[in-house]
Structures are given as structure tokens and as C-alpha cells.
Amino acid sequence: MGILMKNKGQMFIIVAVIMIVVLVILKTGVNLPDIMQKNRESEGKFEHDFFVNVVDELTKTIDVSYYQPINITNNVYSFANFTRKKMTEHLQDFQFLYVSCITPKSSGSDTMNVSVITMLNKPINATLRISTSLVQSGNNDNMMDMSIWNTNFTITQGNNYILTVGYNGTYSENITIQTKTNGSVYVGFFDTTLIGSETTYKDKFQKNYTLP
């Protein structure tokens, strides 16, 4: 009986030693900084791909609304609002500024409608300025976050214009508008930002459409 207990005790000691050796090997063989770096790289790639897909879907919103031009800007707003909610759920900061310009199918002097969408997480003092023979401008001194501002400018169909959008005296972007005689034109300017866990992603561009 004593020999049996002694053998069992030796077996427990041997098993314990083996487990300690295995744990030491595993600990020394695993490079935690490398694992953390790979996780960051994987998360960064996911955020980048997600951002690219969001920008792509925002532009597709115009494509699917092409034959209902009166709804384009509101549809862009709805999709951006949905995207922002989803990103907030994943602790990501989505910021979006959008400017749309639409001219009717006509000739001579007419009205161009301009809309500004802001999802910048803060109120802004938004300004619009269009260079013509007589400079026209408009401003919204207290444009709240998650809002749309609509205004009109008088243009002559067939002429080209530069529309300058700005806010808070620190931001300014030029949008080129090429109007057409007897043709309706839609221009969308996108300024999209995603603040991820490691990197900030940003894209600014405009899309031009000749409407049916």
C-alpha cells in the first residue's frame, strides 16, 4: 500500500512538472506584441474596407435615385443617417458633409437649388457663394448637426460656375458646376470621414450627372 501511494505521488509530481514545462514553452513561444500588432492590422484593414464600401454605397444612392431627382438628396441623407447610427453602435465616429446642386431643364435664366447636409457632430455657420457677373451668396448662421439647408441661386443655363461651400471660417471647398441649355444637371459633393480605432479615413470628391 505504501509503495502504491508513493508511486501515485511520484506520478503527480511528474505530471505537474510536465504541465509547468509545457506552460513555460507556450509562454516563451507566444509573442504577445506580435499578436496585438496583427490584431491592430486586421482591425485597420476591416475599417478601411468598411469605409470604402460606405463611400461606394453613398454614391450608389444617387444612381438608384436617378429617375427621381427630387428625392436624391433626401435619399443620401437617409443612407448617411443609417450609416452613422450603425457606426456609433461599433464605437466609430462617422462625419459627413454633402452639398447637392440641381438645375432644371430649361434655357436662359433660371434657378439652381443647392442643399447642404451636415453630420459633423456640431452646429456650424455654413456659407455658400457662387461667382457670377454679380456674386451671389447665402449663409445659415446656426446649421445644426443632422440637418439639411436648402437655398436657391439664379443662374444662366449653359454657363459654368464655381460654388464655394464653407463653414466656421476654417473650411472651404470649390464645386464646379457645368450647366446645360435645355438639360437638367445634378452635382453631388461628398466629404466623408471615419475615425476608427487606429486611423482616420477621409475622402472628398464630386459626382456630376445629366438627368433625364
Side-chain angles (χ1 to χ4, degrees), residues 74-93:
N74 285 334
N75 289 344
V76 171
Y77 175 86
S78 296
F79 182 77
N81 186 28
F82 170 79
T83 300
R84 183 178 182 179
K85 289 179 180 178
K86 291 301 178 183
M87 288 188 173
T88 300
E89 291 174 3
H90 292 85
L91 303 179
Q92 296 171 325
D93 186 8

Side-chain angles (χ1 to χ4, degrees), residues 2-158:
I3 296 175
L4 181 60
M5 292 297 294
K6 183 178 180 181
N7 289 339
K8 285 184 176 180
Q10 291 175 341
M11 287 298 297
F12 283 129
I13 293 173
I14 293 172
V15 170
V17 170
I18 292 174
M19 291 179 65
I20 292 171
V21 171
V22 170
L23 289 173
V24 170
I25 292 173
L26 288 174
K27 185 176 181 180
T28 57
V30 173
N31 192 325
L32 291 179
D34 283 351
I35 292 177
M36 294 175 65
Q37 179 62 29
K38 288 179 180 178
N39 285 340
R40 284 195 294 265
E41 290 174 355
S42 177
E43 187 173 357
K45 184 179 185 304
F46 171 78
E47 288 177 347
H48 172 266
D49 292 344
F50 186 74
F51 177 72
V52 171
N53 288 335
V54 165
V55 172
D56 185 52
E57 292 302 321
L58 281 168
T59 58
K60 285 182 180 177
T61 303
I62 299 179
D63 296 332
V64 300
S65 309
Y66 181 75
Y67 290 100
Q68 296 178 317
I70 194 172
N71 296 325
I72 294 177
T73 301
N74 285 334
N75 289 344
V76 171
Y77 175 86
S78 296
F79 182 77
N81 186 28
F82 170 79
T83 300
R84 183 178 182 179
K85 289 179 180 178
K86 291 301 178 183
M87 288 188 173
T88 300
E89 291 174 3
H90 292 85
L91 303 179
Q92 296 171 325
D93 186 8
F94 176 71
Q95 298 178 10
F96 184 57
L97 180 73
Y98 181 74
V99 181
S100 68
C101 312
I102 185 168
T103 60
K105 183 181 291 186
S106 63
S107 59
S109 179
D110 212 319
T111 298
M112 176 178 68
N113 177 259
V114 179
S115 298
V116 179
I117 295 174
T118 175
M119 295 184 183
L120 298 173
N121 298 323
K122 60 184 178 182
I124 63 172
N125 178 5
T127 60
L128 292 169
R129 183 174 181 272
I130 189 168
S131 297
T132 61
S133 56
L134 177 63
V135 174
Q136 303 178 63
S137 62
N139 66 83
N140 188 330
D141 293 334
N142 191 25
M143 189 175 181
M144 302 305 293
D145 183 40
M146 303 283 291
S147 65
I148 302 177
W149 170 35
N150 294 293
T151 190
N152 294 315
F153 291 98
T154 300
I155 51 95
T156 300
Q157 299 285 29

